[in-house]
Amino acid sequence: MLREQAEAAFREATQLAADGALPPALRQVVENHARLLDAPIRVAIAGRIKAGKSTLTNALLGEELVATGSLELTFNVNWLRYGNPTALTVHFKDGQLPNQYSLAELEALTRRQEAGQASDTSGFLKNIKHIEVVHPNPALRIYDLIDTPGLDSTYQADSRNTLDWMGISPEEVDELTRNEVRNAHAVLFMFNRGLSQGGVDFLSKFTGSSRDGGSPLNAIGVLSQADQYWRADGTDPSVDPFISAERVAQRYANDTRRQLYTVLPVAALLGLGARTMTEDEFGTLVQLAELPQGQLARLTSSPDRLERPSDDVAVPVPARQLVARRLGTYGVWRACHYLREGVDSREALRELLSEESRIPRLEHLLRSHFGNRSLLIKLDSAVRETIAACFALERHLAGAPLEAVETVHALFEDLGEREIGFRELQVLRDFYEGRLSFSDSDGVQLLQLTGEEGTSCASRVGLNERAIVDEVVEAARQRHRYWQSRLYSTLLDGPTQQAIEVMEQSLRRIIHHAGEARKHLYLDV
Amino acid sequence: MQEYREQKRDVLDLFLLTSAFAKQRGEQQVLDDLERARQAFDRGEFFIAVCGEFKRGKSSLLGALLEAPEYFPVDVDIATNLVTIIRYGETERITVHLGTFGATTPNEIERAEISHYVTEQGNLRNAKQVQLLEIEAPIPLLQDGLIFADTPGIGGLNQEHTAVTYAYLPQADAVLIVGDVTEPFNTDEMDFIRRIGDRGANLLLVLTRADKRSREQVEQVLASNQDKVAGLLNVESGNVPAVAISNLHKLTYLRSDHPDPEDLADSNYPAFEALLATELLERRGLILLGTALMVIGRCVDSMERPLEAEHQAYAAASEAEREALERVHTVQQERLRELQSRQSAWRRTLVTGIADLQHELADTIRIGFLDIQDQLRVDLQDEMLLNQPDRYGPRVAARVNELAIATHDQFETQADAVFERVRAETGLRFSPLGDVEQLPEYELSIGASRPKRDSASRHFRLTRDGIMGIIPGGAVGASIATVIFSAATGGIAPLAIGGVGFAVGGVASAVFAYRESHQRFGAQERHEVQRQVNEQAKSFLDRRRPDLDKMARTQVQELRDQMTDDFERLIEEELRTTQASLKAVQAARQRSAEQARERERLIAEPRRELSLLRTQAESLLARAQQPMDTELGAWAEES
C-alpha cells in the first residue's frame, strides 16, 4: 500500500524531472530518494574520537574489516554495503573519477599516517570524500554501515569530513543544504564517558529539527567499552561491569530522551573477539583457566601484566598477548570463568561471551527499531526533504517551473498527510518526545503497532508471527474497541487526540486486512 | 617533596641562628622582621589545581595520590559540578558549601556523608546545590602545605563549570591536566590547555587508567599527547612533563593487607609524585625558599654593614681614605633623605605608573565588554544557539568571568613593571645575596610572555614580593575567586532565559507542520529570540560592568598605597643602616690606635658570625636553585 503510493509519487516526480521540468536541485533530491527506496537502510556510526566506532563496526559485521588502534585512526568516512565480490571504491572530493582498490589497501587509506603524516604529501588522503566497501557480509543485507571519523578530533579535518558527509555544514545552514540528501537514515551515537556539548549539537542537527532537540526515531545511543567499569576504583573482579554500565547508560538515556531512542551499553571488542575466536585462542584460554583464581585476577588486572613474561605462567607470552588484544582483560577473565564452570567447546564459549558483550542485543534493537521500519524511515526523510527543497525553490521561481515544483510539493505533501504510515510515525515521534498522555500499556501497543516487533499483522497487535488469522482478528478487535472508546473522551490535548485517532484507524485497517486474508485463505466468499 | 622538606628545615634552622644572633646584639627590629618572615615561610602553601574533562578519574586520582580514598567516594557516576579543596589539618573537618554561587552557607558534615553530596546517586543533578566541598585532614602528604583543588570537569555540557575552573587557575602553582590513556586529547581539552598554557602555569599531563591498555599503547598515547601539547605551546615535546598512572593498582596496593610492591610499581604513582614535586619546587618551592632567604639576607646585611664600615675605617691606609669613606656614607645618607622627601622623583614615577595602569585596565575592561557584545552578536546569528536560547546566559557569564581573570593577570604583570620602574628610579638595589636575577624591565613590558621553563638552570627572580620579603601566603580564596563566583551568580539567576526558550518554542511549533532536516525559525520568531536575549544580556552586562570596574579600581588603589608604604619603609630601613654605618665610621675616626685595635678585636667575632650566616644563606639559595634530582619511573617522561 504505502510502497505503491510512494512509488507512484516518485514515478510522477521523476517523470517531471525527465521532461526537464524540474530545477536540477530538486531533481537530484527526488532521484536520490527514489534510488534509496529499495536499498538497505543506512546506519551511520558516529561519536567522539576513540568512542570505539570502528570496533563496533567490526563487531556488528563479525569480522575485522576496518582498522582500529589506540590513536585517532579513522581518517575518512567508510561506507560499507552488501555486495559480492568484495570491492573497494574511493570517491574523491575534487570531482576526480572514483578509483578501485583492493580490500588490503583499506587500512592504508583510512589510517592517519602516524609519523607526522609525512607520506601524504600529495594530499591524496585529504582529497578522499568517502570510501565505499562492498562486501558479502550478511549483516549488510539489513543495513549499510557508515563508519565515521571522530567528532571533536584535534585533527580538524576529521570532524569536518564527518559533518560534510552527513550534509551538516558547521557554518550557518545555507538554503542549499536543505536540498542535499542526508546520506544516513539513522545513527548509532557512541560515547564512552559522557555527552559533550559538541555531541549534543551534532545529535540535534542530525536528528532533524533542532528546535525541539530532534527525534529519537532514528538515533540509538551506545555506551561503548562497558567493560571499562570492570574493577573501576579497585572493586572486586567478580562484580559485573554491566551493573555500573547500565546505571550510567540509564542516566544518559534520561538526559537524552529527546534525542536518543535508548542508550545501550556494549563491549564491542569482546563481542568481536568472541565471534571470531580461533581454536588457538580457545586453547590459550583453556590453559589460563587452569591458573589459581587469585593469580588470574592479578594477571588480568591490566593488559601489561597479562602480556608480561613471568616464570609462574606456562602460557607463552605471544599467546597471552593475543587473547588480551582480542578480548580485553575482562573478556579473558570471563572466558576463564565460563571454562571453569564447565563450558567445554569453543562454540559454546563464543556464544556466551558474545551474549555478554551485548552486541546481539544491539543487533536485535537495530533490526526492530530501524530494520522493521526502514521503509517508513526512508520515506519519511524523502518526504520531509523533498518538501523542504520545494519550499526553498518556490520563493525564487515563477511560471512553468514553479508549477512543476508545486506539483511535486503537492504530491509529497499528500503522501505525507494521507498515508497512515506517516501518521503513525508522527504519533511515534510525539510519543518519544513525551507529548502524549499515554499509559505504559498504551505505549507498548503503539510500539507494536508501528512495527517494533515485526511488520506482520500478528506482530502489530502483539501476537506471535505464527498466530492464526482468527486470533489476529480477535486481538485487533479487542484493541480497536479500546481505542474507539477513548476516541470520544473529551479534555485531551491535541497530539493525544490525534494519536488516538491514528491508533483507531490503523487497527481498523488491520482488522480489514486480516479479514481479507481470511477470505483468500479459506475461500470464505 | 623529601628534598624540599630538607631544604625547608635548613632554612628554618638558619632563621633560628640569625634570630639568636640578633637577640644577642639587641637588634629588636631585625628580630621582629625575622619572626614574621619565619612564620609566613613555615605556613607556605603549594596550590595544585586538578583539571580535566568529566569522567577522567580526577577524584580517584586524588584519593590514590593522597592515600586517602575515604575522602573520595568510589562511584562510576561522580557529580562533576562542584569544587573540592583538600588541605592539611590537625583534626578532620569537612564542610560543604550549599547554595548558589556567591551566596552559599557552610555546613559541617561527617566523612561518611561525603557521598551524599558528590555522587549522582546521592545528589542527582546536584539537587542539593553543593558548590564547594572543603576537607581538612591529617593526611601526611599534605603536611608540607600542599593544597589540592579538584575542579569541575571542563568542556562538559555546562560552560559555567569551565569558568569556575578558570577561577582557581590564577593561584595555582601547578596544574594537573588529567586525561586518560584510552583516548587522546580532544579539541575541548586542547583548547583548555592552550588557554592556561598562555598563563604560564606549570602544567603536568597525567593520564589515568594505564591498566586498561598495553604498555606499548600507553606509550603511544602519552607521546601523542605530549606532541600535541608541545606543538600548541611551542616548546620541545620533551619539555612537556607527562605521566601515565593506574588508580586500580594504587588502590589495590593501599587496600591490601599485604601490600605488594609490584602493585605500587605498576601504578606508577612514585614517578608521578616525583614529577609533581619537581614541578612544584621548580617554581613555587624556589619562590618560598628564595624569599625566606632574601629576608634573612637583608637582616644579616643591615647588621653587617655598620660593622664592615667600621672595619674598613680601621683598615684604611690614610686619613684621606677614612675621610673618603665617611663622605661615601654621608652622600648616601643625603640621597636617602632626598628620597624621603615629598618631591622625590620616584613618587611621581609611581603615581604616573599607577595612573597608566588604571587607564589600561579600564581600557581592557571596556574593550572586553565590547568584544563580549560582538561575540553575542555572532552567537545571535547561530542557528543552533537560537534554538536553545537558555545557553546564552551561561555563555555570556563565562566570558565575563574570563575577562575578570584576564584583567587580574594584566594587573599582576603591570604592577610588577611599575614596581620595577620605581625601583630603578630610586637607584636602590635589594639583593643582599649573590646569584639572584633581577627581573629585567623589558620582560615586564605589557603583554610580554612569561618566562618559559628552563630546567637546566633555575633562578630565583627578585620580584615585588621577594624584595619586600613578603612570603606569598595562602593562595586559595583570593579576591579573584570571589569575583568569579559572584559573577557566575549574576549569570544564572537574572538572565532567566528559560522563559524565552519556552515562549519561542511554542510559537514555532504552531508554524511548522513538518520537522525539516535543517529546521529554522521564521524570521519573526528568530527576531523575537534575538530581541529577548539581547535585552537580558544587556541588562546583565550593565550590572556586571561596574563590578569589574570597581574590582580594578580597588586593586589599583590598594596597590598605590601599598607600594608607597613599601618604598618608604625600604628607604627608611636603608637610611637606618646607612646612618649606623656613618656613625660607626665617625666613631672609628675618633678612636686612638690603641682603642681601634681593641675595637677590631671586639668586632672580629660578630663579623665572622655574620659572614658565616651570609655564606649559609647564599649556599642554601644556590642549592634551592639546583634542578631537583628526581628518580623517574618507566612511564614518566621528562627531558
Side-chain angles (χ1 to χ4, degrees), chain A residues 193-212:
Chain A
R193 280 180 300 126
L195 267 177
S196 64
Q197 185 66 54
V200 171
D201 291 349
F202 172 83
L203 269 180
S204 300
K205 281 183 173 173
F206 174 78
T207 51
S209 161
S210 48
R211 173 163 43 86
D212 55 9

Side-chain angles (χ1 to χ4, degrees), chain A residues 212-482:
Chain A
D212 55 9
S215 155
L217 193 69
N218 51 359
I220 289 177
V222 176
L223 177 69
S224 64
Q225 299 168 30
D227 50 345
Q228 70 180 300
Y229 298 103
W230 188 46
R231 296 175 126 164
D233 295 300
T235 43
D236 193 271
S238 61
V239 176
D240 182 356
F242 277 91
I243 295 173
S244 294
E246 294 281 5
R247 185 150 68 86
V248 173
Q250 189 51 51
R251 195 165 68 80
Y252 291 139
N254 291 341
D255 289 347
T256 56
R257 67 177 189 284
R258 303 188 123 212
Q259 283 105 10
L260 298 174
Y261 170 67
T262 186
V263 178
L264 196 73
V266 301
L269 183 73
L270 175 58
L272 175 65
R275 290 175 167 202
T276 56
M277 185 191 295
T278 63
E279 268 311 329
D280 283 352
E281 288 162 4
F282 181 70
T284 305
L285 294 168
V286 169
Q287 273 182 286
L288 285 171
E290 282 160 14
L291 291 171
Q293 178 96 354
Q295 195 180 3
L296 192 65
R298 208 179 154 67
L299 212 55
T300 53
S301 64
S302 76
D304 185 42
R305 280 192 180 167
L306 195 52
E307 294 172 17
R308 195 179 294 170
S310 54
D311 299 333
D312 50 351
V313 183
V315 190
V317 168
R320 282 190 265 151
Q321 203 166 38
L322 189 64
V323 289
R325 305 234 155 142
R326 298 260 293 128
L327 296 171
T329 45
Y330 172 66
V332 172
W333 167 263
R334 283 307 282 173
C336 292
H337 164 82
Y338 284 126
L339 290 168
R340 261 206 289 263
E341 297 246 297
V343 171
D344 57 359
S345 76
R346 176 166 67 121
E347 280 60 41
L349 186 62
R350 278 163 71 155
E351 186 72 22
L352 284 164
L353 290 178
S354 177
E355 279 302 320
E356 191 112 328
S357 75
R358 306 286 207 273
I359 291 293
R361 205 183 283 188
L362 177 63
E363 281 173 331
H364 177 78
L365 188 65
L366 277 174
R367 262 198 305 276
S368 64
H369 193 69
F370 293 154
N372 293 343
R373 300 194 182 101
S374 71
L375 180 67
L376 260 183
I377 292 177
K378 281 185 291 187
L379 273 178
D380 181 56
S381 63
V383 167
R384 288 191 293 136
E385 279 165 29
T386 308
I387 291 176
C390 292
F391 255 129
L393 287 164
E394 280 162 6
R395 288 192 216 168
H396 312 293
L397 294 175
L402 177 62
E403 273 171 37
V405 170
E406 278 171 348
T407 309
V408 174
H409 193 159
L411 267 174
F412 280 82
E413 200 146 68
D414 243 30
L415 188 63
E417 273 168 17
R418 199 155 30 88
E419 179 48 52
I420 186 76
F422 288 111
R423 299 188 58 196
E424 284 171 4
L425 213 52
Q426 183 56 47
V427 172
L428 200 56
R429 281 177 194 276
D430 285 344
F431 173 69
Y432 286 139
E433 287 161 20
R435 291 206 201 98
L436 304 184
S437 345
F438 265 25
S439 69
D440 286 352
S441 70
D442 290 349
V444 171
Q445 286 199 33
L446 170 64
L447 290 177
Q448 286 171 343
L449 188 73
T450 52
E452 188 83 9
E453 287 166 15
T455 48
S456 70
C457 285
S459 309
R460 293 180 65 195
V461 292
L463 295 177
N464 190 292
E465 299 259 349
R466 278 170 298 188
I468 60 167
V469 178
D470 283 338
E471 288 172 333
V472 174
V473 173
E474 185 45 39
R477 284 230 165 90
Q478 216 176 330
R479 289 191 174 190
H480 181 251
R481 273 196 296 277
Y482 167 72

Side-chain angles (χ1 to χ4, degrees), chain B residues 6-21:
Chain B
E6 282 168 21
Q7 294 193 30
K8 181 175 175 179
R9 201 193 51 223
D10 290 350
V11 172
L12 285 172
D13 284 351
L14 190 59
F15 265 112
L16 289 182
L17 279 175
T18 317
S19 293
F21 182 84

Side-chain angles (χ1 to χ4, degrees), chain A residues 40 80-87 133-138 140-141 144:
Chain A
L80 315 174
R81 57 187 190 85
Y82 189 83
N84 203 356
T86 299
V133 181
V134 171
H135 192 58
N137 185 297
L140 296 175
R141 280 184 187 276
D144 286 6

Side-chain angles (χ1 to χ4, degrees), chain B residues 415-432:
Chain B
D416 282 348
V418 173
F419 185 92
E420 183 53 28
R421 277 208 295 281
V422 176
R423 190 203 61 77
E425 183 71 52
T426 62
L428 299 172
R429 53 172 282 282
F430 299 106
S431 51

Side-chain angles (χ1 to χ4, degrees), chain A residues 120-176:
Chain A
D120 189 33
T121 42
S122 62
F124 175 78
L125 287 179
K126 282 209 171 89
N127 187 27
I128 295 177
K129 189 172 155 223
H130 70 264
I131 297 170
E132 183 185 351
V133 181
V134 171
H135 192 58
N137 185 297
L140 296 175
R141 280 184 187 276
I142 308 168
Y143 36 72
D144 286 6
L145 280 181
I146 300 147
D147 181 25
T148 64
L151 304 164
D152 299 333
S153 163
T154 50
Y155 298 94
Q156 286 293 335
D158 292 7
S159 298
R160 195 50 200 258
N161 269 354
T162 303
L163 295 176
D164 281 354
W165 199 82
M166 304 196 80
I168 301 166
S169 109
E171 288 84 38
E172 181 78 1
V173 182
D174 185 68
E175 282 285 327
L176 285 175

